[in-house]
């Protein structure tokens, strides 16, 4: 039975909740056909987030890792394609760190690709009636930081793990005071993450499908 | 026991479904504390929609009427404040009519206000964690047409009815092919409409709260 | 020679400048074929703005009045179609007034139509390569207040004047700190306003063209 | 005297014009303090665009290369930070090629950083009152393709050249039929590109400034 590790961050940037953790914590103690899920919370802190994830990889021994993060202002599920080797924080993280243009891994490659089947994931989420797309940037804050750290650990230490990152929108309750921003319901996000986990377990390689961006 | 008539349009503009009808049809045969609900579908057709609604008012004898329509591209529940006396169709309706700058009621007033407590409705929907706002324009297509027709019938023929119009976003399934547009889940919309019905029954007059727009 | 009065508001809502006044003040001392222009600044204050405009109507004796206001966040020129009889201020005006759901003119009609050829204006602005559309709501703040007041004065006291309201976007300099918001250059706005003035002088009635909104 | 090569693409995706070429062609035969400019048009075609650029590097012998592309739907000047080694075309290029998930340079690095001072450029453009930001993705179409190709040629063949990519919005005339999309005037774009060229010549290294993205 394949084991899937799902992670979600704690709230940051003045938010009371983080949809990533709200969604991920729903998978606790549930059964899935063909795989089992472990869920863990990750602190929204540079460096510490990667150290925490490394310990989880050692403890959980997952086959697949999917880290989930909040993309406040997006309207769809964003399956991230690439992590870049840079920290550039517009706001402080949850312990006050605000690195500017620092490498995540000194002399590491400029970028790592997700090792999940990103297009198959996006396509199957859409087939379930949920808007999703492949994204070319996870930003330069702790989400991209953790994503890069994950892929670096896979490349250098955990060769049997496949992993990647998915961004999810605000929950409706987070947009009550800014109703012009899009949101997505928790059950829709949970369904999308379950599909992502299932497809990641089933697909060894990605499908060929146009899902790029013009700019 | 108060009786609430909820109406939803059939699909238009090339859409396979209309979230308004999807949401409204959920209320069939359900029980509510203090009011009962009747649901009806309205054709997305100029004039015919108003005639259909008039027959429903005669048949159902509602205390409150809430007409629901799709606002594709909005991110929140829009409680409409005002209907204007103009048809100006950017696309044809479901029978090919495309009036341009025609009065809905010849020599009728330029506008009618909703007779629902629009701010109380928006506030209570937000208190339930669902983004909502008061909107100052229901457009110039069949939604505004029906809304104006409803308020004109209330003003001239059905003085005991209170009524208004609420616009709702796309469903997630409608944005699968255009994921940059916002959407809202059916259960969230249904919850919002139930709150709107309940508040409309409970409140004789509206609350004082700033919920306007700068432009 | 026809005389056109152009008005622009002073800055409000924490902005250092108001694109309306920046644009309108460009017309000072310029010559136009077939009409002359007078420009005036209006305070962003409920009631006082209407009193100021009334004095301008008496002093300038214009044939056409076009009031210009800022619509921060819009991307195109918005030729307003209708003013509604309500003040509902989300923020205080420049003298601290924040009316909620008050009538502008007690027992006045619910709405007034612009008496400018709004579709001809929008069409000619677009023909000049500038994005423009007819808008169905000027909001519920001082812009709509002045617009309603103008149309009420035309309806009751200045029958020979034709007038209306146009909203314009932020200037680029106003979006430097929020680059995800659209803006428009001053020279483009000035060109659009000149076209609006010229068309208002030339057209006694509006053109028939689909320029409505679905919602 | 430093020499700056500016490139712009020909129109693509059904557009009649490309703002990149409209802007770049303005620099022909103009004089600048401290640098001279050469302008060239690049075909919006995979592979051929890179071959064309390579010949230009040999012919012009520039010190700085700035490639300009259209980002239809953006509202500000986007100074691109990173190019990724992937072609994933949502639409065909101007010769019908539509590669899906192909490497631009087989076994090339996953990404290259811009060698321009991207934050200094964005900061100085903003100081001139023009909205600008650092962007983390140039997409997966011909813009990113050329950007990656440029950085690869710099890394492997033209070590003395510094180069990068800037995306610019639609021109107003391009949004006339879709007025909800943002645009930017040609003179504003030209000013921004002139600043980018000047700063690229003046700054050997970038400034430290927070200009990242949360996601």
């Amino acid at each position: 039975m394949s084991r899937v590790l799902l992670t979600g961050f704690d709230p940051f940037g003045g938010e009371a909740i983080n949809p990533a953790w709200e969604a991920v914590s729903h998978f606790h103690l549930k059964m899935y056909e063909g795989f089992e899920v472990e869920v863990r919370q990750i602190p929204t802190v540079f460096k510490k987030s990667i150290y925490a994830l490394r310990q989880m990889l050692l403890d959980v021994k997952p086959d697949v890792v999917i880290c989930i993060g909040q993309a406040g202002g997006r309207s769809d599920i964003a399956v991230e394609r690439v992590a870049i080797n840079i920290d550039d924080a517009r706001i402080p993280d949850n312990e006050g760190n605000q690195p500017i243009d620092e490498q995540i891994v000194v002399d590491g490659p400029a970028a790592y690709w997700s090792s999940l089947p990103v297009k198959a994931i996006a396509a199957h989420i859409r087939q379930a009636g949920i808007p999703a797309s492949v994204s070319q940037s996870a930003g330069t804050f702790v989400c991209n930081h953790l994503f890069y750290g994950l892929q670096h650990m896979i490349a250098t230490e955990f060769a049997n793990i496949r992993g990647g990152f998915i961004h999810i929108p605000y929950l409706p309750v987070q947009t009550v005071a800014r109703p012009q921003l899009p949101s997505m319901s928790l059950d829709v996000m949970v369904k999308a993450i379950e599909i992502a986990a299932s497809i990641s377990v089933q697909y060894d390689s990605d499908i060929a499908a146009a899902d790029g961006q013009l700019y």
Side-chain angles (χ1 to χ4, degrees), chain A:
Chain A
M1 176 96 69
S2 293
R3 188 172 302 159
V4 176
L5 170 61
L6 296 180
T7 74
F9 288 104
D10 56 355
F12 68 93
E15 301 286 334
I17 59 173
N18 189 318
W21 178 246
E22 300 299 313
V24 162
S25 59
H26 259 246
F27 286 85
H28 186 52
L29 295 177
K30 288 195 186 153
M31 300 294 299
Y32 302 92
E33 198 175 315
F35 64 98
E36 59 185 19
V37 172
E38 293 268 346
V39 304
R40 292 287 188 283
Q41 194 180 64
I42 303 248
T44 304
V45 179
F46 287 102
K47 289 190 174 69
K48 191 175 284 189
S49 54
I50 295 178
Y51 301 152
L53 180 59
R54 184 172 178 278
Q55 192 58 49
M56 293 169 195
L57 299 184
L58 293 170
D59 294 346
V60 175
K61 299 184 188 5
D63 301 289
V64 167
V65 181
I66 308 179
C67 299
I68 310 290
Q70 163 189 294
R74 273 195 78 108
S75 54
D76 69 339
I77 302 288
V79 188
E80 298 294 347
R81 188 200 292 257
V82 62
I84 58 175
N85 189 14
I86 197 131
D87 288 334
D88 189 11
R90 183 173 288 278
I91 58 172
D93 70 15
N94 282 354
E95 293 190 354
N97 308 297
Q98 193 172 1
I100 291 181
D101 289 354
E102 297 181 8
Q103 288 186 309
I104 299 167
V105 174
V106 176
D107 296 332
Y112 280 113
W113 305 108
S114 173
S115 46
L116 300 182
V118 295
K119 291 190 166 179
I121 291 172
H124 279 83
I125 293 174
R126 286 195 297 260
Q127 282 166 26
I130 301 170
S133 56
V134 174
S135 165
Q136 331 304 327
S137 171
T140 59
F141 194 57
V142 182
C143 288
N144 174 74
H145 179 88
L146 180 67
F147 181 18
Y148 186 93
L150 167 63
Q151 304 304 141
H152 186 71
M153 291 189 287
I154 289 174
T156 58
E157 192 178 2
F158 299 90
N160 292 327
I161 297 179
R162 288 181 303 136
F165 199 97
I166 293 178
H167 265 118
I168 59 177
Y170 279 138
L171 288 165
V173 72
Q174 294 179 283
T175 67
V176 159
R178 43 196 169 185
Q180 78 288 358
L181 291 185
S183 61
M184 185 176 277
S185 291
L186 188 60
D187 59 333
V188 176
M189 293 176 174
V190 167
K191 181 69 186 166
I193 293 169
E194 183 183 334
I195 293 168
S198 173
I199 296 301
S200 296
V201 168
Q202 291 174 52
Y203 283 67
D204 286 330
S205 60
D206 204 355
I207 62 172
D211 205 351
Q213 281 178 280
L214 292 183
Y215 71 89

